[in-house]
Amino acid sequence: MAQDFIFEKLRHDDATRARAGRITTSHGSFDTPAFMPVGTQGSVKALTQEMLERAGASIILGNTYHLYLRPGHVTINQLGGLHRFISWERPILTDSGGFQVFSLTSLRKMTEEGVEFQSHIDGASHFISPEKSMEIQAALGSDIVMAFDECTPFPATRDEALASLELTQRWARRSKQRLSELHNEPASAGPRITIVNPTQALFGINQGSTFLDLRERSLEGLIEIGFDGYAIGGLSVGEEKGAMFEVVSHIAPRMPEDRPRYLMGVGTPEDIVEAVALGVDMFDCVMPTRNARNGQLFTSRGKLNIKNSRYKDDSQPLDDACPCEVCRRYSRAYIRHLYMSGEILGSVLTSLHNISFYLDTMRVIRQSIELGTFSKFRDSFLSGLARGQD
Ligand SMILES: [Zn+2]
């Protein structure tokens, strides 16, 4: 277990399972529940690191698969690790690469050992195993490392889900073994790699598709191995929203109280508020940035589509309740004009607003848990979203 990684539970909501806490890493601490903007290629699309800091991002996510292919983990390591490479001093979580290997690549061959796949960039063959994923993440030097898992495809039969979670279980054990070896015997990383962050924490990933007993079985196996935090994976992959919340409400309360709980790849602002109420502490999702580039804004009154001609002469901000720097300065009409003209600034402003809206929502969630008013906040937030735009 990583010694510099501390999770403190500061406050528990009385009416729900929501909790407020703080996670400390060797790159500083961040408050939970937390949203992690996704920095796929070492960049949260359209935003500078300064913008992220000003918007209040206290931890970001990097994608192991993308960084491994380009510019390569050895290059990043030789430049001092991911924090120094991208000039970001706050915490970083890296995913295991598994999700992208299974969703982006073709002609893969999966064995007990690992996965062989062809790069989506140039078709070159690569092989990733739990050990290799740990070597890449150790070279990147992120603060939170994710165990290498198979994201169970959806839909899956019970037998398929069982086989998949058992493989993930064996891979989780190998991940832990290899990461601790890399931290304790840095020379085992090979001559070209320096272990830049020996205090990395490791999270295990719960799988089991929508089968609740399999989810439990997966969790028990992970707890037996022992991780610094526990993630719920394999959701938001095409299942009905009801099925997703059935899994989260079943499994989140069974996860260790004294470790952070991370719901991977979820979701909309309302999904996040609901999952917080079920006891989840950490989130990531590409939705705020991806939707921003498609002209879809998240606001306190639901989604706003800037392409809509009704905003052509609209001098109001995107969201008059949003304190972000975009809403303080620019109008819907101007942002719509930028978007319609294909100006780069359009993506910058929409992305900055959406990320700010998510981070601000998390701040209000944390405040309301601390003040004991989370349920009240949740009701008014959800009814605000349901009012819709105009
Ligand atoms: Zn805003």
Side-chain angles (χ1 to χ4, degrees):
M1 303 292 230
Q3 285 174 352
D4 287 31
F5 183 83
I6 300 161
F7 173 63
E8 301 161 85
K9 217 180 81 179
L10 302 175
R11 179 75 201 251
H12 204 289
D13 183 52
D14 295 331
T16 68
R17 298 205 181 93
R19 46 205 225 149
R22 182 174 300 128
I23 291 174
T24 303
T25 75
S26 57
H27 288 93
S29 21
F30 61 94
D31 294 328
T32 60
F35 178 78
M36 304 180 280
V38 180
T40 310
Q41 322 245 20
S43 144
V44 176
K45 288 191 197 299
L47 301 179
T48 64
Q49 277 64 311
E50 287 89 339
M51 289 174 188
L52 290 166
E53 286 162 1
R54 286 203 304 268
S58 47
I59 171 168
I60 59 172
L61 187 148
N63 280 129
T64 290
Y65 167 85
H66 290 287
L67 296 168
Y68 159 71
L69 289 181
R70 191 169 55 188
H73 61 295
V74 177
T75 301
I76 293 176
N77 184 261
Q78 287 170 350
L79 290 164
L82 188 56
H83 290 87
R84 191 174 295 174
F85 179 57
I86 70 169
S87 190
W88 177 262
E89 292 179 354
R90 298 178 185 181
I92 298 177
L93 178 148
T94 44
D95 64 3
S96 71
F99 183 77
Q100 279 75 23
V101 167
F102 292 106
S103 61
L104 287 183
T105 69
S106 58
L107 290 177
R108 56 180 188 259
K109 201 176 111 199
M110 202 175 73
T111 61
E112 183 66 33
E113 194 45 37
V115 193
E116 200 180 299
F117 64 95
Q118 288 192 301
S119 155
H120 76 289
I121 301 170
D122 58 8
S125 277
H126 295 271
F127 179 75
I128 290 196
S129 59
E131 289 78 12
K132 179 79 185 215
S133 171
M134 295 306 109
E135 286 155 20
I136 301 169
Q137 294 184 74
L140 297 174
S142 53
D143 301 284
I144 301 175
V145 166
M146 299 304 296
F148 190 68
D149 65 324
E150 185 197 16
C151 181
T152 310
F154 182 84
T157 64
R158 196 175 188 287
D159 284 349
E160 286 165 351
L162 177 61
S164 169
L165 83 83
E166 286 181 338
L167 179 67
T168 288
Q169 204 75 2
R170 294 190 293 274
W171 284 0
R173 199 176 286 280
R174 281 166 55 189
S175 296
K176 186 176 174 183
Q177 168 75 29
R178 183 64 182 126
L179 190 67
S180 106
E181 215 170 77
L182 287 161
H183 292 165
N184 295 320
E185 303 158 39
S188 75
R192 294 190 305 159
I193 301 288
T194 309
I195 297 301
V196 285
N197 184 4
T199 62
Q200 292 175 299
L202 179 64
F203 282 23
I205 305 177
N206 177 256
Q207 292 286 352
S209 191
T210 50
F211 304 97
L212 300 183
D213 60 319
L214 297 187
R215 285 278 171 183
E216 276 184 47
R217 182 166 168 163
S218 160
L219 182 62
E220 283 159 18
L222 294 175
I223 292 171
E224 198 186 302
I225 300 170
F227 289 94
D228 297 301
Y230 295 85
I232 307 176
L235 291 180
S236 210
V237 291
E239 77 284 358
E240 295 282 325
K241 202 146 265 192
M244 174 179 105
F245 278 108
E246 203 186 359
V247 171
V248 178
S249 64
H250 187 81
I251 214 70
R254 290 175 163 77
M255 298 170 102
E257 269 290 311
D258 60 347
R259 294 276 184 272
R261 304 162 173 167
Y262 165 27
L263 178 56
M264 302 179 79
V266 175
T268 63
E270 51 269 45
D271 290 342
I272 290 177
V273 170
E274 289 304 333
V276 164
L278 296 169
V280 176
D281 308 303
M282 296 166 67
F283 301 88
D284 79 284
C285 191
V286 293
M287 213 182 265
T289 42
R290 180 181 290 166
N291 291 23
R293 297 194 302 281
N294 294 321
Q296 193 180 69
L297 286 316
F298 292 95
T299 79
S300 57
R301 303 183 66 178
K303 288 174 193 150
L304 178 156
N305 193 335
I306 202 68
K307 285 174 276 192
N308 199 313
S309 59
R310 85 168 71 139
Y311 302 121
K312 195 164 171 277
D313 307 308
D314 193 338
S315 60
Q316 297 176 84
L318 294 172
D319 182 353
D320 56 16
C322 175
C324 90
E325 54 187 72
V326 179
C327 291
R328 283 204 309 266
R329 183 159 185 168
Y330 304 103
S331 67
R332 293 171 175 178
Y334 178 58
I335 294 168
R336 180 175 191 278
H337 157 71
L338 294 174
Y339 182 84
M340 299 309 280
S341 333
E343 282 293 322
I344 291 171
L345 185 58
S347 291
V348 173
L349 298 183
T350 53
S351 301
L352 183 52
H353 162 78
N354 274 357
I355 284 290
S356 301
F357 180 78
Y358 267 65
L359 293 172
D360 199 55
T361 299
M362 302 314 292
R363 203 175 61 231
V364 181
I365 288 174
R366 291 192 299 266
Q367 264 169 10
S368 70
I369 298 171
E370 300 215 345
L371 295 171
T373 56
F374 174 71
S375 291
K376 219 173 107 196
F377 157 77
R378 177 192 182 189
D379 291 345
S380 73
F381 182 76
L382 296 177
S383 67
L385 294 181
R387 266 189 316 188
Q389 282 296 332
D390 309 310

